[in-house]
Amino acid sequence: RALLAQHGYDPDAIDALVLVDGDGAHDRSAAALRLAARLRAPWPWLARPLWLVPRRLRDAVYDRIARSRYRWFGRRDACLVPTPELRARFL
C-alpha cells in the first residue's frame, strides 16, 4: 500500500495491474508488457512489437480483456493457496 501511494496510486482504488520496478510504476498494458518481457520465450518476442502500438489503444485492449476474462476463463469460488516456493516469488 505504501509503495503504491509513493508512486501516486490510491491503494483503495486500484482496478488494474500495477507493476513497480526499477524504472518506476507502470499500469495496465505497460505493466503487462513489462511482465511479458521478463517471461521465458516466446513471450518477450511477442510483447516487443506491441510497444509500437499507441498506449491509448493498448490500454483499450487491456480493458476489454479485463472485462471479459471471467467469461473466457471462468471464475473460481476460492483462491489458489500458493505453495511456499510460489509465495516466495511475491511481496
Side-chain angles (χ1 to χ4, degrees):
R1 293 179 63 82
L3 191 58
L4 287 170
Q6 178 182 344
H7 288 278
Y9 290 91
D10 179 357
D12 295 320
I14 296 296
D15 65 347
L17 175 66
V18 176
L19 170 69
V20 179
D21 63 11
D23 295 325
H26 316 278
D27 63 1
R28 299 165 69 186
S29 66
L33 291 176
R34 284 177 169 270
L35 288 171
R38 295 176 184 185
L39 297 174
R40 291 184 186 154
W43 297 109
W45 306 327
L46 296 171
R48 194 168 294 127
L50 293 175
W51 284 108
L52 300 174
V53 176
R55 171 120 191 204
R56 290 174 66 118
L57 182 57
R58 285 193 335 251
D59 283 348
V61 171
Y62 174 93
D63 291 339
R64 178 78 183 248
I65 292 169
R67 281 192 308 270
S68 303
R69 70 184 185 271
Y70 291 131
R71 189 169 6 128
W72 295 341
F73 303 111
R75 190 174 194 145
R76 296 179 184 242
D77 292 331
C79 294
L80 170 72
V81 177
T83 62
E85 61 188 29
L86 183 59
R87 186 177 297 147
R89 297 177 65 189
F90 295 92
L91 295 176

